[in-house]
Amino acid sequence: MLSSTIFSDLQSLETPFYLYDLALLRKSAEAAKAAADKRGYLIHYALKANPDSRLLGVIAAAGLGADCVSGGEVRRAVECGFAPEKIVFEGVAKRDSDILFAIEKGIYAINCESLEEVVVINSLAASVGKVAEIGLRLNPNIDSHTNEHLTTGRADCKFGISRRELKALLKLLPELKNVHVRGVHFHIGSQILDMTVFEAQCHKAQEIVDDLRNDKGVELEFVNMGGGLGIDYYNPEQNPIPDYEGYFATFEREFCLPEGMVMRFELGRSVVAQCGELVTRVMFTKTNESGRRFLIVDSGMSQLIRPALYGAHHEVRRLGEGVGREVYAVVGDVCESSDTFAYQTELPVTGRGDMLALLSAGAYGASMASCYNLHSLPAAHYWDGELE
Ligand code: LLP
């Protein structure tokens, strides 16, 4: 854990802040790339997990592409050195101006989520005299058996094109002269550790891809399997790098990739989660009538919303030497009871001024921060052999 290793360098810093271990990030991105390369697979890093420019520089240098869900993310990816042909653009509600920007930049594919979106992209591309490269995000109707809020591939979710709509779209496609379908896309959820879920995804995708190519005569260059690989939130120090090898091996085993097609992925969390910690300081302590002991810290749900929003778990560590042990509730600076980082966690005896670190916070931490209660957006420091 980086923060305890470099604790003496951190003590004088103003809290709270995210601390990123760039060496660990490099290792993670390179491990993902190596496991994918071995099989000829391509990875687009999902910027939504963390669009920090320093992190993006490391990820782009490791050779990954980018997966963006807004015009802002497409612009950030371009600025941070991702080549346009390595960028894909997703999302159910793309704005016209962002679509036009993506077309103008010549990104690899705009993955469309509805028939109406394809029609709109066709007319926008026509208005600038271009043919837009697109992919079709299909809804495979699979339950990813993850947190209810993180499942995206079921028929009742807002994501993807349904079977029925796909049929109508294929009929219309010959008339849409300003779009070119390059491939199909599936993303069924996030924080998935059960590989049988990805097996089911492969089988459904295979059925659909084979049907499109063989029966409907649609030429496909790629199948994009999305992201979703989970990480170990309970033992981050023991498992800092996810099992990319086992993950990609599942797709290799379960999906027979037709000749000439490429498999693409959009990993977010697995690449960046373990390289980030949220470092905060205890402001006050108190014990309530029920006997619950509180550590009240100078960060909260405006800076790391995952525990409040999803009941997510982040390991808490006290920095520096400590004596004795005590069970605490670690709560934040926002005026809501849901602003609780941990309801019950055992730590060395802790008091005002002590520093705590919330681990595995590199993904969906800073990127989901807000100014709720008019708190500031979180600061960031980086470690790459020295502290910045
Ligand atoms: N591709 C698409 C189309 C996505 O919607 C997502 C994530 C990804 C890729 C990347 O998935 P990953 O590899 O990171 O699982 N805020 C939540 C996670 C939401 C994920 C949304 N989509 C959290 O804090 O757990």
Side-chain angles (χ1 to χ4, degrees), residues 46 48 67 137 150 187 190 228 266 268-269 306 310 364 368:
K48 64 169 79 69
D67 162 34
R137 177 170 180 178
L150 305 185
H187 172 77
S190 198
E266 297 169 348
R269 182 192 317 270
R306 304 191 67 259
Y310 314 117
Y364 305 111
M368 293 178 78

Side-chain angles (χ1 to χ4, degrees), residues 211-261:
D211 177 57
L212 283 173
R213 294 179 70 248
N214 305 335
D215 300 342
K216 310 278 188 326
V218 183
E219 276 179 42
L220 298 174
E221 280 171 37
F222 75 84
V223 54
N224 184 328
M225 295 296 193
L229 175 62
I231 61 136
D232 190 345
Y233 280 101
Y234 289 86
N235 306 289
E237 288 108 336
Q238 289 81 357
N239 295 311
I241 309 279
D243 180 15
Y244 296 115
E245 186 55 37
Y247 171 71
F248 289 120
T250 305
F251 289 87
E252 186 179 29
R253 195 178 59 239
E254 304 294 331
F255 188 92
C256 175
L257 191 65
E259 183 84 20
M261 276 184 78

